[in-house]
Amino acid sequence: MTFVRQVLTVASKDLVLELRSRERLVSMLTFALLIAVVFSFALDPTVRSRDIAGAMIWITIFFAGMLGLGRSFGLEREQDTLTGVLLAPIDRGAFYLGKVTANLVLLLIVDIVLVPVYGLFFQIDLWGQIGGLAVVVGLASAGFVALGTLFSAMAAHSRLGESLLPILLLPLLIPVVFFSARSTQLLITGRPISDVAGSIRVLLAFDLIFLIVCTMVFESVVEE
């Protein structure tokens, strides 16, 4: 079985299981929409929502994403099947990238639902910048999931479990949070995509670094 086939097999396994239970996706969507509703009521009427919408969107995406990542290895932990998976003739890097792919698909579904909801709640016209927003959201989500999947595997082997994930993950995500929120804010306020080209390149660089480093160290994480 080729490396790519192994990645797709792991990803499809996770997505099929999620399609049957819908546990993670429903909880992520519900949590994200509730945060959006809370922001819509809590925002001071004197504050222009357009000026802080970028930060609100990414706070919601990242916390909803951590809720899903916390359950990424939940099935393997609860049924003690991770050892069996690791004994299978599959590359550890392929196993990690398969998990990343499945987690990214779920997070992008949340993104696709959530961003228009923010546009509706806060009366922001997003369609004029939909191309730039799609690039920023896709790259930032990929970097978040790449790093989050590795730390989710670490948290699954800890007694603290899911509560350990944000403690490990958030400090390392600060650059991704900064550049994604900044780029989203500029695009929402009508700036052209050329103004965020530098931030997009930085997000792409972080994605590549996270994917390469996490793939290399994943085997050590899951075998300890």
Side-chain angles (χ1 to χ4, degrees):
M1 186 181 293
T2 65
F3 185 86
V4 175
R5 182 80 176 274
Q6 292 177 355
V7 172
L8 295 177
T9 299
V10 174
S12 61
K13 181 266 294 181
D14 276 19
L15 291 174
V16 168
L17 291 175
E18 179 59 30
L19 184 62
R20 291 174 180 171
S21 67
R22 299 183 180 88
E23 179 183 345
R24 279 199 291 160
L25 184 59
V26 170
S27 62
M28 290 167 67
L29 282 171
T30 303
F31 183 73
L33 293 175
L34 285 175
I35 293 179
V37 171
V38 170
F39 276 144
S40 68
F41 284 107
L43 188 64
D44 189 332
T46 62
V47 177
R48 292 180 58 193
S49 57
R50 180 184 294 269
D51 294 336
I52 59 173
M56 291 190 296
I57 288 172
W58 282 105
I59 288 172
T60 308
I61 289 175
F62 284 142
F63 278 99
M66 273 189 282
L67 182 64
L69 285 172
R71 299 291 300 167
S72 178
F73 289 86
L75 185 63
E76 287 87 352
R77 183 181 60 188
E78 291 171 2
Q79 300 186 6
D80 198 23
T81 58
L82 184 58
T83 302
V85 173
L86 295 177
L87 290 175
I90 184 171
D91 188 277
R92 301 294 186 269
F95 181 62
Y96 163 74
L97 291 175
K99 284 285 188 179
V100 169
T101 302
N103 290 334
L104 181 58
V105 169
L106 295 178
L107 184 59
L108 288 177
I109 293 173
V110 175
D111 295 343
I112 291 169
V113 174
L114 183 66
V115 173
V117 166
Y118 266 100
L120 178 64
F121 281 3
F122 298 103
Q123 299 179 351
I124 302 171
D125 181 17
L126 302 174
W127 296 110
Q129 300 286 357
I130 193 65
L133 286 172
V135 172
V136 172
V137 169
L139 289 175
S141 296
F144 168 71
V145 168
L147 192 60
T149 301
L150 177 69
F151 282 105
S152 176
M154 295 173 62
H157 289 76
S158 167
R159 289 181 298 175
L160 296 176
E162 298 174 20
S163 61
L164 183 64
L165 182 60
I167 299 173
L168 296 173
L169 186 56
L170 285 176
L172 295 176
L173 279 176
I174 290 174
V176 177
V177 174
F178 174 78
F179 286 105
S180 58
R182 178 176 178 273
S183 301
T184 302
Q185 187 60 47
L186 289 174
L187 292 171
I188 287 175
T189 55
R191 303 287 285 275
I193 193 172
S194 57
D195 285 2
V196 299
S199 296
I200 289 174
R201 287 193 290 269
V202 172
L203 288 173
L204 179 60
F206 273 110
D207 287 358
L208 294 175
I209 292 171
F210 288 160
L211 283 171
I212 293 171
V213 174
C214 291
T215 302
M216 292 172 61
V217 303
F218 182 76
E219 181 173 0
S220 299
V221 168
V222 295
E223 290 187 352
E224 288 184 359

